[in-house]
Amino acid sequence: MELIEGIKSRRSIRKFTDQPVTKELMEEIVDIARFAPSWKNTQSVRYMLITDKAVKDRIADEAVMGFEWNTKIIKGAPALVLLLTVDKRAGYERDGSESTSKGEHWQSFDAGIASEAFSLAAFAKGLGSVILGVYDEAAVAGIVEIPEGQKVSALIPVGYPDEDPEAPKRKEVADLLTVK
Ligand SMILES: Cc1cc2nc3c(=O)[nH]c(=O)nc-3n(C[C@H](O)[C@H](O)[C@H](O)COP(=O)(O)O)c2cc1C
């Protein structure tokens, strides 16, 4: 898939067919996403694939802060990826001191870059996905064991698309770019 076309035509997908997402396909997607840039190449993002319906449904019911919109998306997806990040890597020196005055900021920054790389890789492989930010991290951790020292930085339901949404309106370049 051509890069610019891929960036422009990827959409958040919130309705999926029942077709399962295999571990092998997820390995192919992560094999692409792992080339995303990261703070000093620390590569602190991890992907946890959940296909167990009971676990997925519990997250949908108990860990989205009552936001039923997200409950429905997760329940309707054959797979849910938890995008995890290892603490104190992005933005930190080897001795644990902060590299900048922005502290933990870079952890989420790397998670965001990885999320886009993952979403584009999934899209190129025929899958749809949507990045979810409305969830309760502690509630997720109460349902799935999150490795110590890692955070849940996004939930990403994944599956074969059962919709073809229009692109939500984008701001014009003139509204986004200033030249000094
Ligand atoms: C950090 C982040 C959090 C998001 N959280 C949610 C969410 O909780 N629920 C949802 O339906 N979409 C969520 N989205 C998807 C956005 O609504 C979507 O990307 C935006 O409307 C643009 O649409 P597009 O991805 O199809 O271009 C989130 C996206 C990002 C980047």
Side-chain angles (χ1 to χ4, degrees), residues 29-152:
I29 292 166
V30 172
D31 182 42
I32 300 166
R34 72 196 171 99
F35 285 91
S38 65
W39 177 276
K40 287 188 182 173
N41 198 28
T42 42
Q43 304 172 62
S44 63
V45 169
R46 305 288 181 268
Y47 304 88
M48 185 183 284
L49 174 66
I50 299 174
T51 53
D52 184 315
K53 188 174 166 9
V55 175
K56 207 170 55 61
D57 283 357
R58 270 196 75 193
I59 293 173
D61 282 326
E62 300 170 29
V64 297
M65 314 185 71
F67 187 37
E68 288 177 14
W69 172 267
N70 280 0
T71 299
K72 204 171 157 207
I73 298 169
I74 296 170
K75 280 196 169 169
L80 177 67
V81 169
L82 306 190
L83 192 136
L84 309 175
T85 48
V86 180
D87 289 329
K88 298 274 171 136
R89 295 280 197 281
Y92 290 85
E93 300 296 308
R94 283 183 189 280
D95 66 5
S97 62
E98 291 182 359
S99 303
T100 72
S101 59
K102 290 167 84 78
E104 291 181 357
H105 166 78
W106 300 109
Q107 186 165 342
S108 295
F109 198 94
D110 279 8
I113 293 172
S115 295
E116 171 73 335
F118 178 90
S119 302
L120 288 172
F123 180 44
K125 290 285 175 185
L127 293 179
S129 66
V130 56
I131 299 162
L132 302 183
V134 182
Y135 62 89
D136 177 340
E137 180 168 24
V140 174
I143 297 165
V144 185
E145 193 179 336
I146 305 300
E148 204 176 320
Q150 295 188 17
K151 288 203 168 52
V152 182

